């Protein structure tokens, strides 16, 4: 088999894994949430708890995955995650109890880490070995493609299928996507990377501390937005008809966003690029409630999707600059900070929405967190805002 064919089969496996573990196992709940709430009485506080369970699972899995060194172990846990991604997705249809759902969402989060962190690490090792690390941008397009796929399918079947049938359908699609993941992902000729000794990251460093706080707010923006944006639009007469198209446009914008923001950081500098991304993300979250209309829903969804993965990419590159002697340690701490924001954000937003009866507070809080990211980011600014080097951000 030629190396070119082997590379494209590997990329196909990687893209399929991201469509499955992110677009379906992680994000399919967003377009399904309004129907789940209408049919089962699930409140906004319960929805926030389910989202937090999913992100807690992802954080646990990401921290575990970051410690794996043996390629064979990576491949084992990757395949295990792919299988569980299909099972936990389809199993959401078998109950309407929030505790059972939360357990399934937690394990679904674990599977997201298997695909996003472990799968991406295997792909990147192969691409580096083949002198094509630039192809990692093709791999990351799987996240956006997954959102487009699940959003389109669930929009088409919404008039004719119930929420539980929707879960079974996307679970079946996930089973098909699992096949190239299981058969084409491999660790042939990959060597175990030796653990490098490096100094510990100082949490007393002002730039690092403020970057962690800023990134925590970014995690809250991401989780609140991706959890509630569709359900909030569904409750507004002027937005409900366009909510699913807005979600699909979010996925369309997401697909090329990592590459776009990496290039923007090279041109503008990392702080300017991040500030712009946070600002556009805040606009995307707030626009549908400031100006309730079909146009605002579509523009808002597109802007939000165009920013959140790009922010992750640039922040992790910036983390490498702030801790050049031990970038892996700082990236691990950044993952924790982002994960805490992901867990706390939807819980607090869901409780506030439920207690006040004002659903739009969810998008307002997401926009506010994005603006707070800008404020706290200013404290991490280096004296010289040099452009970041191209970097792949694989831990969201």
């Amino acid at each position: 088999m030629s190396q070119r064919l082997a590379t494209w089969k590997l990329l196909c496996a990687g893209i399929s894994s991201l469509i499955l573990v992110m677009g379906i196992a992680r994000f399919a709940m967003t377009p399904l949430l309004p129907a789940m709430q209408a049919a089962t009485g699930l409140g906004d506080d319960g929805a926030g708890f389910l989202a937090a369970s999913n992100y807690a699972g992802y954080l646990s899995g990401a921290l575990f995955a970051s410690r794996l060194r043996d390629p064979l172990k990576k491949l084992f846990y990757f395949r295990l995650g792919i299988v569980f991604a299909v099972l936990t997705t389809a199993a959401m249809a078998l109950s309407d109890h929030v505790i059972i759902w939360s357990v399934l969402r937690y394990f679904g989060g674990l599977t997201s880490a298997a695909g996003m962190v472990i799968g991406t690490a295997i792909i990147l090792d192969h691409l580096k070995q083949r002198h094509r690390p630039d192809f990692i941008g093709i791999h990351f397009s799987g996240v956006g493609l997954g959102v487009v796929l699940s959003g389109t399918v669930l929009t088409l079947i919404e008039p004719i299928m119930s929420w539980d049938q929707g879960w079974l359908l996307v679970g079946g699609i996930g089973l098909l996507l699992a096949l190239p993941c299981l058969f084409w992902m491999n660790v042939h000729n990959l060597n175990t990377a030796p653990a490098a000794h490096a100094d510990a990251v100082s949490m007393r460093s002002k730039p690092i501390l403020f970057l962690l706080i800023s990134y925590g707010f970014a995690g809250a923006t991401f989780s609140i937005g991706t959890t509630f944006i569709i359900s909030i639009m569904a409750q507004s007469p002027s937005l409900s008809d366009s909510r699913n198209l807005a979600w699909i446009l979010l996925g369309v914008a997401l697909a090329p966003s990592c590459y776009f923001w990496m290039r923007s950081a090279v041109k503008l500098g990392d702080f300017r690029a991040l500030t712009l991304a946070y600002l556009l993300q805040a606009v995307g979250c707030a626009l549908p409630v400031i100006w309730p209309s079909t146009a605002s829903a579509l523009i808002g969804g597109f802007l939000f999707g165009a920013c959140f993965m790009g922010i992750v990419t640039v922040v992790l590159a910036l983390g490498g600059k702030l801790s050049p002697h031990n970038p892996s340690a700082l990236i691990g701490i950044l993952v924790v900070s982002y994960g805490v924001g992901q867990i706390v954000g939807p819980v607090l937003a869901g409780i506030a929405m439920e207690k006040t009866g004002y659903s739009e507070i969810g998008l307002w809080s997401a926009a506010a967190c994005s603006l707070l990211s800008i404020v706290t980011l200013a404290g991490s600014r280096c004296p010289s805002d040099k452009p970041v080097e191209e970097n792949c951000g694989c831990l969201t």
Side-chain angles (χ1 to χ4, degrees):
M1 181 189 301
S2 70
Q3 187 179 76
R4 177 174 301 210
L5 178 59
T7 299
W8 283 107
K9 288 181 69 174
L10 192 71
L11 284 171
C12 181
I15 292 170
S16 297
S17 72
L18 293 186
I19 294 174
L20 170 56
V21 304
M22 300 296 288
I24 292 178
R26 193 171 189 183
F27 288 139
M29 194 181 103
T30 301
L32 282 168
L33 184 57
M36 292 171 66
Q37 290 183 301
T40 67
L42 178 69
D44 290 328
D45 51 353
F49 181 72
L50 291 180
S53 298
N54 185 253
Y55 296 129
Y58 181 82
L59 176 60
S60 303
L63 293 175
F64 172 78
S66 67
R67 303 178 65 87
L68 294 176
R69 294 291 181 268
D70 184 356
L72 290 176
K73 288 185 178 179
K74 288 182 181 180
L75 184 61
F76 171 78
Y77 285 110
F78 170 80
R79 288 173 171 169
L80 187 65
I82 292 300
V83 172
F84 269 85
V86 176
L87 295 177
T88 56
T89 298
M92 287 291 291
L94 305 181
S95 174
D96 60 0
H97 197 288
V98 69
I99 299 300
I100 295 175
W101 277 347
S102 66
V103 172
L104 291 172
R105 296 305 291 160
Y106 177 83
F107 281 99
L110 286 175
T111 72
S112 296
M116 191 68 175
V117 182
I118 301 176
T120 296
I122 294 173
I123 293 286
L124 186 58
D125 286 343
H126 276 291
L127 293 178
K128 285 181 177 178
Q129 190 169 281
R130 298 172 190 186
H131 308 291
R132 294 312 308 253
D134 53 312
F135 277 16
I136 197 67
I138 300 173
H139 167 72
F140 280 126
S141 68
V143 182
L145 293 174
V147 172
V148 172
L149 175 63
S150 63
T152 301
V153 169
L154 293 172
T155 297
L156 293 174
I157 62 96
E158 185 178 38
I160 58 174
M161 286 190 178
S162 59
W163 65 268
D164 51 339
Q165 292 171 329
W167 278 112
L168 289 174
L169 178 62
V170 293
I173 295 172
L175 180 60
L176 296 177
L177 290 165
L179 298 179
C181 305
L182 296 174
F183 290 109
W184 290 350
M185 185 69 77
N186 65 80
V187 292
H188 300 327
N189 303 317
L190 293 184
N191 298 318
T192 304
H197 175 74
D199 297 331
V201 175
S202 174
M203 293 297 292
R204 296 181 180 179
S205 167
K206 179 182 174 182
I208 290 176
L209 180 61
F210 276 96
L211 181 64
L212 291 171
I213 297 172
S214 176
Y215 200 43
F217 282 122
T221 301
F222 163 76
S223 60
I224 295 170
T226 55
T227 300
F228 293 114
I229 187 170
I230 301 303
S231 64
I232 291 172
M233 290 181 180
Q235 297 175 42
S236 171
S238 55
L239 299 174
S240 59
D241 290 341
S242 54
R243 68 184 190 274
N244 288 331
L245 182 55
W247 181 249
I248 293 170
L249 279 179
L250 181 150
V252 170
L254 175 59
S257 63
C258 291
Y259 178 80
F260 172 81
W261 286 109
M262 284 196 296
R263 298 310 305 166
S264 297
V266 170
K267 298 291 184 182
L268 302 176
D270 39 15
F271 289 94
R272 293 186 186 93
L274 277 173
T275 299
L276 179 60
Y278 283 132
L279 183 59
L280 291 175
Q281 182 177 247
V283 172
C285 291
L287 193 60
V289 291
I290 294 174
W291 173 39
S293 68
T294 298
S296 70
L298 300 182
I299 296 171
F302 185 88
L303 288 176
F304 183 55
C307 294
F308 64 79
M309 279 289 290
I311 287 169
V312 171
T313 304
V314 179
V315 167
L316 296 185
L318 177 57
K321 178 191 289 187
L322 293 176
S323 182
H325 301 297
N326 194 4
S328 296
L330 181 53
I331 286 174
I333 299 171
L334 284 167
V335 170
V336 173
S337 177
Y338 197 82
V340 170
Q342 285 181 314
I343 295 167
V344 175
V347 171
L348 295 182
I351 292 173
M353 292 163 63
E354 190 70 21
K355 295 296 184 183
T356 63
Y358 180 57
S359 61
E360 287 84 353
I361 199 171
L363 290 181
W364 280 122
S365 60
C369 286
S370 194
L371 294 176
L372 286 171
S373 290
I374 297 176
V375 174
T376 49
L377 178 69
S380 67
R381 189 180 181 93
C382 299
S384 174
D385 181 17
K386 298 178 181 178
V388 299
E389 299 297 326
E390 290 193 9
N391 183 291
C392 78
C394 59
L395 305 179
T396 64

